[in-house]
Every structure is written in C-alpha cells, then in structure tokens.
Amino acid sequence: MYRMTLMAMISSFSYSQLDTNKCIKLALVHDLAEAKVGDITPHCGVSDGDKYEMELNTMNQISQMLGPSLAGEEILSLWKEYEEGTTEESKLVKDLDKLEMILQAMEYENDGCHEESLDGFFESTKGKWRTELGFRWAEEIVSRRKMGKKGDVNATKNDAEGERRY
C-alpha cells in the first residue's frame, strides 16, 4: 500500500486536473476491506457481486466504528469512489493498483525465488488500462522485465548495495 500511495502522489503531479490529496487518499483506502475479508482474487471462485457485497459490508462496519469525527464517512465515500472507478482520480488509482501488482511480480522473478511462471499477472492487465499514464508505465515495466529475462545487467542485483537497478 505504501508504494502505491507514493505512486499516486507522484503520478498525480503529472496531471494538473487531478486532486493529488484525493489520489493519495484513494490509494490508502482502496484495499482496506481486505483487512477483514482477505485478498479475494479471480482465482478464489467468488463472484464480483459477492466480493463487492462482502467488502461493502466491511467498509460500512469500519465507517460506523470510526464515526464522522474520525472520517468514517469520508473513508466509505472514498472506497465507493474507487470501486465505481468513474472519476479521473479513481481511474488513475485503479491503474496504479495493477501497476503495483506487475511490479511485485517482476521483483519476484528478479529475485529468482519463484519457480512458476508469473506471466498471468501481466496477461491479466492487458487492455485494461484506464489512463494513458497507466498504459505508458505498464509498457515501461514490461520492457524492463523483458530486458531482465535476457540477462541485462541493469536488471540484476547490485552486489554492493543489495538493491535492484532498473
């Protein structure tokens, strides 16, 4: 969540019409329901409607628990905005969620600890970008992934610092 929130802050500066604070808040609350219901993926066999209802019930509980003085209503409203995905800010944050997923998959591949193919993560995002920025960043990530698979030295660990250079 931290990386995605930072991505929201940085990317929202690229578009003057976006509300940076809203982008950051959307990134912070978008997965809050997962604290109770877990990370429900398409492979879990839960319908989109059931997933939404489970998460909505959780968000209503959180909102009621916090109350208006602790931003419960705002958090619920932000979560709903993200789920609807109709505002420019929510479209961007939905793209950032996908970008963060493929970045994580690429990092797992680069670490060499994951033996099974992670291509499915990348395939699941094709054609689903809602913003030009999301599309461009995804192209860059895929490009760097391809370079890493070809043995590019920039995709390997920096032995001196133990960090990846891209």
Side-chain angles (χ1 to χ4, degrees), residues 138-153:
E139 282 186 321
E140 180 64 24
I141 293 166
V142 169
S143 172
R144 291 178 186 213
R145 178 181 185 232
K146 288 177 183 174
M147 287 189 309
K149 284 188 170 188
K150 293 179 183 175
D152 181 28
V153 295

Side-chain angles (χ1 to χ4, degrees), residues 11 14-15 17 88 91-92 95 99 128-140:
S11 61
S14 300
Y15 297 101
Q17 76 273 18
E88 292 305 310
K91 289 175 187 178
L92 173 65
D95 277 0
L99 289 166
K128 295 187 179 174
W129 303 107
R130 297 168 176 244
T131 65
E132 182 64 27
L133 183 79
F135 178 76
R136 287 194 324 260
W137 282 17
E139 282 186 321
E140 180 64 24

